[in-house]
Amino acid sequence: MLTRRSQVIAGILLLLIVTVEFGGVFMTQVVNGNVETTDFQASFWRAGHAHAGVLTILSLTAVLLADGARVAWGAVGWLARLAIPAAGVLMSTGFFVSALGDGATGPNGFVVILGLGGISLAVGVVSLGLSLLLPRLQLPAT
């Protein structure tokens, strides 16, 4: 059973899937040639859309795993539940905004957001993994 905090996180994540759907509509326009892009832009935007969807689903899984293992709500528990969704937002945003600009053939300075997303993803999965492996990071059995 999900804690109330995790229910809120999961609810927000499910609503974020609608933004991924809008990204899919945009990507359909790109693939159909209705949006003028360079090959670089199309590939970065495709990667941004894919990362948004995959990391949102991974985030939902992480929340379920954390609550299922009764991971405590300390700093590590919060990271285990929130760093992965943050990575999804950061990475997809990084892919999209670093490819903006007419005729862009390489990333602009916003590409640094991708790195921040990668760090957030690593922090989230390591926090969750350690929380699942180390009983002292879990709530006592009732």
Side-chain angles (χ1 to χ4, degrees):
M1 184 165 144
L2 285 177
T3 63
R4 180 66 188 139
R5 291 173 181 165
S6 289
Q7 283 180 308
V8 170
I9 294 168
I12 292 168
L13 289 169
L14 287 167
L15 293 174
L16 283 176
I17 290 175
V18 175
T19 65
V20 177
E21 289 179 302
F22 280 113
V25 170
F26 173 72
M27 286 310 303
T28 301
Q29 297 299 314
V30 169
V31 170
N32 287 333
N34 298 330
V35 176
E36 195 171 318
T37 65
T38 64
D39 289 341
F40 161 74
Q41 288 172 318
S43 66
F44 251 51
W45 292 340
R46 185 177 296 117
H49 177 62
H51 279 77
V54 169
L55 292 176
T56 300
I57 300 305
L58 178 60
S59 298
L60 286 165
T61 304
V63 169
L64 289 172
L65 285 169
D67 273 19
R70 299 182 42 81
V71 173
W73 281 91
V76 174
W78 279 103
L79 287 173
R81 291 171 175 91
L82 294 178
I84 298 170
V89 171
L90 289 167
M91 293 181 90
S92 60
T93 299
F95 276 115
F96 279 101
V97 300
S98 66
L100 291 177
D102 288 339
T105 57
N108 60 34
F110 289 113
V111 74
V112 70
I113 298 171
L114 282 173
L116 296 174
I119 291 167
S120 185
L121 180 59
V123 167
V125 295
V126 168
S127 296
L128 181 57
L130 290 175
S131 295
L132 296 174
L133 294 171
L134 302 174
R136 63 185 164 90
L137 296 174
Q138 299 167 8
L139 297 170
T142 55

